[in-house]
Each structure stands twice: as structure tokens, then as C-alpha cells.
Amino acid sequence: MQSKTATTTAIPEEEEKIADAKPFSEIPGPKLYPIIGNLLTLIKNNGYHQKRPHLLYSSYRQKYGPIFRDKIVNMKLLFVTTPEDFATVFKAEGKYPDRGPTMPWIVYREQRKKAKGVLIGKGEEWRKSRSVMDKKLLKMKDVSAYSGRMNEVISDLISHIKRKQIEDNLNGELSNLQNAIYKWSFETINSVLFSKRLGAFNDPPTPIAEKFYKSVCSVLNITGNLVLMPPFYKYFKTKQWKEYCSYWDTLFEIGGKLIDEERNRLLSSGLDLSKKLESNHRTEDMEFLPYVLSRGELSDEEITGNVIELMGGGVDTSANTIMWVLYILGKNPDIQEKLYQEVSSVLKNGQFPDSQSVQKMPYLKGVIKESERLYPVLIATSRILAQDVVLSGYHVPAETRVYMMMHLAARDESIFDEATKIKPERWIRSSSSQRKRNPFSFIPFGFGPRMCIGRRIAELEMEILIARLISEFRIDCRNEKEVGVTFRLVASPDQDIRIAFQQRN
Ligand code: HEM
């Protein structure tokens, strides 16, 4: 965050506003101590607020208003909380939108001299990766083709649930539901990326799935501990940092090996990979890796870096959203019953859901949206401003990193009626609960050219999964105390979500 005062980089319509705006230095925020800034607030009481930044920033929202700043050692933070400010930030994101660095990921890549992918890449490097992969991951026609594979993984998950229910003998409950759901998202995203099953649900899991899975979960867990702290690991190779790097090494090693196998398979099937695929080539029938390899625009290292990041971005985001959906359903039998009625009116005679049938299930989409609204796995996204702007009346100069607190907007009573209440019908167009609101008030996947590249995959895999689970089971939540949110890179339940699955027929 820099305190440049120049107004020359502003969008024309902002220039006038800037002249009347309050100066950047007047943006309110907590008291900062020399050198450490606000570090103590984060780490005191055994890191209470490091694990729950959403509570800290919610209290700052109440105390300081819609815009506030903070500083942790040398990390300067600026937070905005209104959809109007989000829109201004996105408008000023420039040609190469930049969220700012995810330091632990970047430091590992730079120390090991490995290519960056879409998640952490910048400028042309980022744009090139997105232009190759967007088509395959965001075009609905291409994504629809994955329904069959997604259903295969879900069938394995359901068998796993049934097997574990017998083993665990807890009256329908699973002793480690979160692990099962993580395996579902891991196996699904890998089956999309590598066009084959890795075997996370085999009994026992295949060694490669086991090693890959353990490494991705460990990387995500340790990143969660490192990301809110200044990057001391850049200079001190602690035991934790070395362990972290060794998990990344495993991901790159296995990811690279799977890509090589796919390349060899394609070559032995007679495909000429030196012939570049035209960007307008029909792609619906091609799998992800053959497509990316055939485009010939990314080097092997870039493909590996991208695939690892897609997996990193796709495992705990979808898994945690599903954990929250199960929690909502288990705690609200009326919502569950309505959902069951809708799903069973669309799916007849044991038919599996796909991208077309879920379009006829608006209530299902509403349930998932409510989970994303009240329990967004990413409580914020950020942009480094390419231009000067005015946010909530303050002049904010170009190059400032601004955090858009999606979590706070989504719980704002002035935007959502009965904001803390779960109302899937608020998302149904014809419903009386639907009201017109600023489109930036709900952006769980971000916005613009840098929005989540896995959005369509995530939506489809989650819709199909919930439709299948609700068709098969009654979902009963056994948590007695209300489940809160804790921060582990993504916002996760602060206690195990305890679900008993009761067979419907
Ligand atoms: C419920 C599921 C998910 C949610 C809520 C979610 C949310 C997000 C958000 C908020 C961003 C930042 C967007 C921005 O700054 O505008 C993002 C980026 C990203 N997500 Fe997701 N995501 C989910 C699932 C996935 C999946 C399944 C994948 C992989 C296929 C994935 C891969 C990525 C990647 C690679 C980026 C970085 C894109 C870029 O910077 O160009 N996400 N996601």
C-alpha cells in the first residue's frame, strides 16, 4: 500500500471525485505499534484472531465504518466492505488484474526456480495461461462433458460412506466425514485434469493417490499458518518451511509424472503434438490435458505449475462448501425436505443428475448459494489498483492492495433481508423473496478476467453431489453446539461437522 498522491493514473470519471475526496492518510483503523503494527492483536490468546480474522474485521467494520486499514509488521492492509467499493476496485484492476502475492507459494517457486501458474502468476505469464485454460474450464459445453466422471467419483464416495458406516458403527455417522469429502473433491478435480481416476477411494487407496492427497492437504494446511504472517521463511529455513517445501516437491514430482504419462499415451496413440491446435478448434470432445498439450503454448514446466495450482485451488474450496451445505441441510429438515422434493421431481427412476438436469433445480442452486453467502470459503479477494480511485470517500492511490471483504457484504442486513437466515428461495427469480440488489454484493468466485477459473467445475460438481446425496440419504446433523468458522487458508468449520446419513429406501 503506497501513499502516492498523483491523480494522473485515475479513470477519467474518478478524477473529479478525487479532488473532493478525503486523503488516504485519514482512513481509520486500529492503533499500530512501531515495527510490529497490529501483530499482537492477531497472535494474542493463542492466535485467536489469526484463526478468526473474519471476527476481527467484522468488529473493525462496526467500529471504523465501511473502509479501514491495518498493518501486520510490514504488511499494509486496506479493507473495503461495500459492493459499490468492490465495483470501483474491479473497474480499476487494469489489463493484468493482480491480487497481490500469495507469499508462501511464491517463495517456494522462486527458491526452487519453478514456473508459476494462473493462481500466482502475473502479467503476460498469467494471461497466457488463462487464455489457454479458460476455454476448457469455463465454457459450459466443455464442463458439461465432465458430468459422467463426476458421477463416477460420487458413486465411489457413496460406497465409501456405506462401508464406513458399518465399520464405524456410529448409528449412521462417519467418524471422519471431512476426510471423505476432501477425497471426493481431490479425486474429482484430478479426474478432470488427468483424464483418469487416481484411486483415492480404493480400499486401500492407491499409493500415488495417498501420497498426492497427503501432500496437497499438508500444503494447504501449512499455507494457512504461513499466509497471515510476514514471510520470515524467505530468510530462515525453519523445520516447518523445509517440511512445507518437501510436500510441494512431491506435488510437482507426481504432477509432472502424470503429465508425462498422458503425453506418452497421446504420442503412442498417434497424436502429433507438434501440430498446434487452433484456438477456435472444437474442444468439447477433448479432455483437459490433451487440449492444453495440443495448444502448444505452454511449456511442460508451465503446464505442471498450472495443474498443481488448479488442484490447490480446487480441493478445500469445494470440500468446505459441501461441508457447510451438509450442515445447513442437517440443521434444517424443512429445507432438506423441499430440496428432496425438487430433486426427486426432476430425477426419475434412479437417473443420475447432469449439467442439464441441475438447471431444473433452482432450489438446489439456492441452497448452495446460501452456503457460499453465509460461509464463504474465501472471506475476501484482493486487487492491486492499477489506477487512483475513491473508495468510501477516501482517495486511494494506484498500487494499493485492497481487500474486498465479501464475507461482510454477504452478511449485511442493508443488502440481504434477514441476512443471517438461510433462505434458498431468495435466489429464485420468481420468488417473492427475490429482491434487486447490487451484483457485487455476492461474488463468491470473484469477478472479471481474474475470477475463479474453476467456477463452472465447482458449481457442477457440487450440484451433482448434493442432488445425489439427498436422493440417497436423509441428512441428520449431530452437532449440539453451533458450528463456527475458523481460518485455515479457507474458512472452515471450527469443530467436526457430524452428519449421520440415513438411507431413504
Ligand atoms: C466452492 C468452490 C470455489 C470457490 C468459492 C472459489 C473461489 C475463488 C475466488 C474467490 C477466487 C479469486 C477470484 C478473484 O480474485 O476475482 C478464486 C480463484 C481461483 N480458483 Fe477458485 N473457487 C472454488 C473452486 C475452485 C476449483 C474447483 C478450482 C480448480 C478447478 C479453482 C481454481 C482457482 C484458481 C486457479 C484461481 C486463480 C485464478 C486466477 O488468478 O486467474 N477454484 N477462486
Side-chain angles (χ1 to χ4, degrees):
M1 194 158 85
Q2 295 179 359
S3 45
K4 274 205 309 185
T5 48
T7 56
T8 46
T9 52
I11 314 168
E13 61 262 36
E14 286 287 303
E15 274 184 8
E16 226 170 278
K17 290 190 208 156
I18 288 170
D20 299 331
K22 287 177 268 182
F24 184 75
S25 55
E26 285 183 15
I27 296 178
K31 181 171 184 257
L32 302 175
Y33 292 94
I35 304 174
I36 58 170
N38 198 18
L39 179 68
L40 285 182
T41 307
L42 216 57
I43 58 177
K44 72 182 177 197
N45 298 333
N46 201 16
Y48 182 85
H49 279 126
Q50 191 184 0
K51 291 179 202 132
R52 297 168 189 82
H54 59 293
L55 296 184
L56 180 66
Y57 295 128
S58 169
S59 74
Y60 287 174
R61 163 80 177 89
Q62 286 193 354
K63 197 164 171 190
Y64 303 115
I67 182 165
F68 50 89
R69 44 139 199 92
D70 198 4
K71 182 172 172 259
I72 311 295
V73 191
N74 60 351
M75 291 189 331
K76 294 176 179 176
L77 309 164
L78 177 68
F79 298 95
V80 292
T81 58
T82 66
E84 291 76 17
D85 280 348
F86 299 168
T88 307
V89 172
F90 284 122
K91 207 166 169 189
E93 66 181 5
K95 184 176 172 201
Y96 300 116
D98 183 0
R99 266 189 300 277
T102 308
M103 278 317 272
W105 289 38
I106 291 188
V107 173
Y108 167 79
R109 300 292 168 98
E110 289 179 349
Q111 286 181 353
R112 292 286 204 270
K113 303 205 174 359
K114 292 196 184 292
K116 299 183 184 105
V118 272
L119 208 141
I120 57 172
K122 283 170 70 166
E124 250 327 290
E125 183 191 33
W126 164 79
R127 197 206 53 80
K128 186 171 73 163
S129 293
R130 283 246 18 177
S131 75
V132 172
M133 299 192 305
D134 270 8
K135 194 159 182 208
K136 204 64 202 138
L137 295 177
L138 283 173
K139 219 171 82 190
M140 207 51 223
K141 256 196 184 158
D142 288 47
V143 172
S144 302
Y146 299 123
S147 305
R149 195 161 297 142
M150 288 175 177
N151 268 306
E152 266 176 37
V153 178
I154 295 167
S155 296
D156 284 1
L157 169 67
I158 291 176
S159 305
H160 174 87
I161 291 176
K162 291 180 179 170
R163 198 169 63 231
K164 288 290 286 172
Q165 280 178 318
I166 297 169
E167 273 172 38
D168 293 348
N169 197 15
L170 295 169
N171 198 13
E173 191 180 331
L174 258 62
S175 58
N176 197 345
L177 174 64
Q178 180 170 316
N179 187 43
I181 300 296
Y182 263 64
K183 280 190 172 175
W184 156 78
S185 63
F186 166 86
E187 187 74 14
T188 305
I189 187 64
N190 282 310
S191 74
V192 167
L193 297 174
F194 298 111
S195 341
K196 66 176 168 206
R197 297 291 307 276
L198 291 192
F201 282 118
N202 290 16
D203 192 17
T206 60
I208 195 168
E210 181 107 343
K211 214 171 157 192
F212 213 27
Y213 176 71
K214 184 174 171 220
S215 301
V216 76
C217 292
S218 305
V219 157
L220 295 171
N221 255 328
I222 304 176
T223 306
N225 294 332
L226 297 174
V227 81
L228 274 181
M229 286 292 160
F232 299 122
Y233 41 84
K234 231 171 157 175
Y235 314 101
F236 307 107
K237 297 201 170 40
T238 57
K239 193 167 164 251
Q240 186 188 44
W241 179 252
K242 286 185 191 154
E243 196 191 346
Y244 183 62
C245 292
S246 78
Y247 288 125
W248 271 120
D249 290 343
T250 306
L251 290 183
F252 273 86
E253 185 198 321
I254 299 180
K257 193 166 156 259
L258 289 167
I259 294 168
D260 279 350
E261 278 174 19
E262 183 61 3
R263 177 195 299 283
N264 292 337
R265 189 187 69 77
L266 293 170
L267 289 172
S268 62
S269 73
L271 193 78
D272 182 0
L273 287 176
S274 63
K275 245 200 214 155
K276 282 191 189 172
L277 199 70
E278 295 300 323
S279 57
N280 60 357
H281 188 280
R282 197 171 167 273
T283 57
E284 287 100 274
D285 307 327
M286 284 182 93
E287 297 279 4
F288 174 77
L289 259 187
Y291 170 77
V292 173
L293 288 165
S294 316
R295 282 285 295 267
E297 287 167 54
L298 300 176
S299 68
D300 283 8
E301 290 72 29
E302 287 169 331
I303 296 177
T304 312
N306 271 305
V307 164
I308 300 298
E309 284 178 22
L310 287 169
M311 193 179 43
V315 172
D316 56 0
T317 43
S318 303
N320 274 293
T321 306
I322 289 298
M323 293 302 293
W324 290 116
V325 174
L326 294 175
Y327 179 62
I328 288 175
L329 292 174
K331 281 282 179 202
N332 296 280
D334 50 331
I335 294 180
Q336 186 175 161
E337 181 55 27
K338 262 189 171 174
L339 177 61
Y340 175 67
Q341 292 305 333
E342 178 184 83
V343 172
S344 47
S345 74
V346 177
L347 301 177
K348 304 275 183 217
N349 308 321
Q351 181 199 347
F352 282 173
D354 61 16
S355 61
Q356 277 163 10
S357 50
V358 294
Q359 297 317 317
K360 297 179 201 142
M361 302 179 190
Y363 197 75
L364 168 68
K365 287 174 185 275
V367 169
I368 296 175
K369 281 193 168 143
E370 281 297 84
S371 152
E372 291 165 350
R373 185 179 67 81
L374 286 168
Y375 305 102
V377 285
L378 295 180
I379 59 173
T381 189
S382 55
R383 289 292 183 270
I384 296 185
L385 294 173
Q387 285 134 337
D388 289 30
V389 289
V390 174
L391 298 172
S392 287
Y394 293 89
H395 172 200
V396 180
E399 288 172 47
T400 304
R401 184 176 188 177
V402 185
Y403 288 84
M404 291 167 272
M405 299 299 280
M406 309 182 292
H407 169 263
L408 293 178
R411 285 174 170 253
D412 187 334
E413 288 283 343
S414 70
I415 302 173
F416 292 95
D417 303 325
E418 298 181 279
T420 52
K421 208 170 161 200
I422 295 151
K423 288 167 71 178
E425 50 284 336
R426 72 170 94 234
W427 301 103
I428 298 177
R429 260 194 207 118
S430 55
S431 143
S432 56
S433 313
Q434 228 235 353
R435 86 174 220 208
K436 225 175 157 17
R437 58 179 88 85
N438 185 321
F440 289 92
S441 53
F442 181 68
I443 44 165
F445 294 95
F447 179 80
R450 191 126 209 183
M451 76 164 199
C452 176
I453 196 171
R455 175 182 188 157
R456 299 279 173 238
I457 303 266
E459 286 173 338
L460 185 62
E461 66 178 354
M462 294 192 298
E463 287 160 8
I464 295 185
L465 173 63
I466 296 299
R468 293 267 316 264
L469 288 178
I470 203 78
S471 305
E472 184 94 23
F473 303 109
R474 268 193 196 85
I475 291 163
D476 177 20
C477 179
R478 297 244 170 103
N479 293 78
E480 279 157 21
K481 279 206 294 190
E482 195 183 329
V483 179
V485 176
T486 185
F487 185 81
R488 273 185 341 105
L489 187 57
V490 299
S492 319
D494 66 357
Q495 51 180 286
D496 286 344
I497 288 184
R498 296 179 48 204
I499 298 290
F501 294 93
Q502 313 290 1
Q503 190 74 43
R504 280 193 185 268
N505 308 312

